[in-house]
Amino acid sequence: MNKQAASEKPYHHGDLHEKILCSACELLEENTVSSLSLRAVAKKVGVSHTAPYRHFKDKESLLAGIAAVGFDRLSAQLADAVAAFPDDPATQLQEAGHRYVQLALECPQCTQLMFGGILPCDDTYPALRASGDAAFDGLKQIIEDGQASGAFKTGDIELLALTAWSAIHGLSLLLVSGNLPEILSSMIDNRALTSAVTTTMLEGLKAHHSDI
Amino acid sequence: MNKQAASEKPYHHGDLHEKILCSACELLEENTVSSLSLRAVAKKVGVSHTAPYRHFKDKESLLAGIAAVGFDRLSAQLADAVAAFPDDPATQLQEAGHRYVQLALECPQCTQLMFGGILPCDDTYPALRASGDAAFDGLKQIIEDGQASGAFKTGDIELLALTAWSAIHGLSLLLVSGNLPEILSSMIDNRALTSAVTTTMLEGLKAHHSDI
DNA sequence: ACCTGAACACCGTTCAAGT
DNA sequence: ACCTGAACACCGTTCAAGT
């Protein structure tokens, strides 16, 4: 009795689940996502290499947990971009693009994990899928607001959102993967690259007032 | 004497280098790029698991060989797109986009290998880098022609090329990695998705005739 | 309930040794 | 010159066993 509420997970370590996830996140960015080993995570936490199996079904399940956190961070950045420029969907979209690229550059390995086709995107990991969908919903909302205010051209919201997403996603992954040719990657300011992409992208999304 | 010319590599197997590369390409698409093992390639070729080391420095070196082939295929598709619509840069760019996406969908694992940050893009593999740069040069040429003919807006060629590339690259990787939300991935026709992206992208690239 | 250690089947890579 | 086999240090995962 006196079980001190229902939420307890003491015994040998504190919240091992959380500790493992946290350490994994750190180790992930120290190297390549494919070089992250469950055994190394366990060693870093200070626990036997089989202990993580009490908290994650397997390695992939742990990776899914990390990726979900990444998508949540992305959603948060999107929300901040919207809040920063109320009632200005065009600027919101541009700001969202900048933050998307910035986040990708800050945690490149996590970005690869989220978008590198490493994890299944079906319903194997519902939490992961939910986090990913939430991020896309945030983007759709900006497009919808822009259409409502007449700033963006009309058309299928999903398709317009996909277009904006593709542009900024492509740039992000090209930066993260290092596939840009020397001329571009030697540009001091990544913000200039992002601006070039978002500006042209916005140009294509804008309503053509000559059509009215 | 009578050495039958200079090009000989008989002994036990024919051109083992080529056989390994070829088998690796096939095995690659049968599974994930990260699950491709050198030992499995050797077994498929019918040779001991250390034999590949006579022809490739290590596993990464073999992967770089595969990726270079991928970039060459991309360049070829670009060239075909240009040839198909002479003197029409806008249509060339759209066609190039379609072929880029199509190629990515045909060999998703090779695409991940080429763009997944698995290989170093510095001068570690000169052939790989050269193949990659060649593909980008093809794209730049389309942009340049479009500017010359007045179809595209003026501006830094590299930046405009990057913009076009980002849009189509982003779509390709989103398709290949499976990160699209259900609504979009359930669309029967990927060509419709590609058209949506390329059309809006072209809209942003076009010269604004009202500016003249 | 939570963790450990031995064990298994796989890796990539090296190296002495065979033809 | 080209290939092999044993060996090493790593994996992920399972399972009986400990507290």
Side-chain angles (χ1 to χ4, degrees):
Chain A
M1 311 127 205
N2 186 15
K3 271 192 125 189
Q4 199 174 335
S7 62
E8 283 258 32
K9 7 185 131 181
Y11 206 67
H12 259 169
H13 309 84
D15 193 343
L16 190 51
H17 181 97
E18 197 60 23
K19 268 194 196 165
I20 289 173
L21 208 100
C22 226
S23 294
C25 272
E26 290 173 29
L27 277 182
L28 173 62
E29 294 299 340
E30 282 179 21
N31 241 292
T32 329
V33 52
S34 65
S35 74
L36 178 72
S37 88
L38 213 47
R39 286 168 109 109
V41 174
K43 182 184 272 185
K44 173 158 184 165
V45 174
V47 86
S48 89
H49 65 271
T50 59
Y53 285 89
R54 291 292 125 196
H55 302 273
F56 298 92
K57 196 199 150 228
D58 51 18
K59 186 186 178 184
E60 193 181 76
S61 187
L62 169 59
L63 292 178
I66 302 174
V69 172
F71 280 114
D72 290 340
R73 279 195 296 225
L74 196 56
S75 288
Q77 289 297 320
L78 251 175
D80 287 353
V82 168
F85 299 94
D87 300 320
D88 185 353
T91 309
Q92 284 173 353
L93 192 55
Q94 191 147 29
E95 177 67 15
H98 276 116
R99 286 166 183 262
Y100 194 105
V101 172
Q102 208 175 341
L103 190 60
L105 289 171
E106 278 166 15
C107 40
Q109 294 307 317
C110 188
T111 300
Q112 293 292 2
L113 173 58
M114 291 158 67
F115 295 109
I118 295 162
L119 297 169
C121 294
D122 50 26
D123 288 316
T124 314
Y125 302 105
L128 174 61
R129 187 179 187 99
S131 294
D133 286 351
F136 188 65
D137 285 343
L139 173 57
K140 276 198 297 186
Q141 191 58 54
I142 299 180
I143 301 290
E144 208 166 346
D145 291 348
Q147 285 187 323
S149 75
F152 297 157
K153 66 183 179 184
T154 56
D156 186 289
I157 292 178
E158 261 87 19
L159 284 182
L160 287 184
L162 172 64
T163 301
W165 188 18
S166 291
I168 215 65
H169 181 69
L171 174 62
S172 299
L173 289 210
L174 286 173
L175 283 168
V176 161
S177 68
N179 278 99
L180 287 190
E182 257 178 323
I183 323 114
L184 287 169
S185 54
S186 67
M187 279 211 173
I188 317 114
D189 196 1
N190 284 319
R191 199 165 174 90
L193 296 183
T194 311
S195 291
V197 169
T198 55
T199 301
T200 300
M201 183 256 290
L202 269 174
E203 207 71 45
L205 283 180
K206 273 180 186 158
H208 295 176
H209 293 297
S210 56
D211 294 351
I212 303 174
Chain B
M1 312 125 208
N2 186 14
K3 272 193 124 188
Q4 200 173 335
S7 62
E8 283 258 31
K9 8 185 134 182
Y11 207 66
H12 260 170
H13 309 85
D15 192 344
L16 189 51
H17 181 99
E18 197 61 23
K19 267 193 197 165
I20 289 172
L21 208 101
C22 226
S23 293
C25 273
E26 291 173 26
L27 276 182
L28 173 63
E29 295 300 340
E30 284 178 19
N31 241 293
T32 328
V33 52
S34 65
S35 74
L36 177 71
S37 90
L38 214 46
R39 286 168 110 109
V41 174
K43 183 183 270 186
K44 172 157 184 166
V45 173
V47 86
S48 89
H49 66 269
T50 60
Y53 284 90
R54 292 292 127 195
H55 301 274
F56 298 92
K57 197 199 151 229
D58 51 18
K59 186 186 178 182
E60 191 181 77
S61 187
L62 169 58
L63 292 179
I66 303 175
V69 171
F71 280 114
D72 290 340
R73 277 195 295 225
L74 195 57
S75 289
Q77 290 296 322
L78 251 175
D80 286 354
V82 169
F85 299 94
D87 301 320
D88 186 353
T91 310
Q92 284 173 354
L93 193 55
Q94 190 146 29
E95 176 68 15
H98 275 116
R99 285 166 184 263
Y100 193 105
V101 173
Q102 208 175 342
L103 190 60
L105 288 170
E106 277 166 15
C107 40
Q109 294 307 316
C110 188
T111 300
Q112 293 291 5
L113 173 58
M114 291 159 67
F115 295 108
I118 296 163
L119 297 169
C121 293
D122 50 25
D123 288 316
T124 314
Y125 302 104
L128 174 63
R129 187 178 186 97
S131 293
D133 287 350
F136 188 66
D137 286 343
L139 173 58
K140 276 199 296 186
Q141 191 58 54
I142 299 180
I143 302 289
E144 207 166 347
D145 292 347
Q147 286 186 322
S149 74
F152 298 156
K153 66 183 180 185
T154 55
D156 186 290
I157 292 176
E158 262 86 19
L159 284 182
L160 288 184
L162 173 64
T163 301
W165 189 16
S166 291
I168 215 66
H169 181 68
L171 175 62
S172 299
L173 289 211
L174 286 173
L175 283 169
V176 161
S177 68
N179 278 99
L180 288 191
E182 257 178 323
I183 322 113
L184 286 169
S185 54
S186 65
M187 277 212 174
I188 316 113
D189 196 1
N190 283 319
R191 199 166 174 90
L193 296 183
T194 312
S195 291
V197 170
T198 56
T199 300
T200 300
M201 184 255 292
L202 269 175
E203 207 72 44
L205 283 181
K206 273 180 186 159
H208 295 175
H209 292 297
S210 55
D211 294 352
I212 301 176

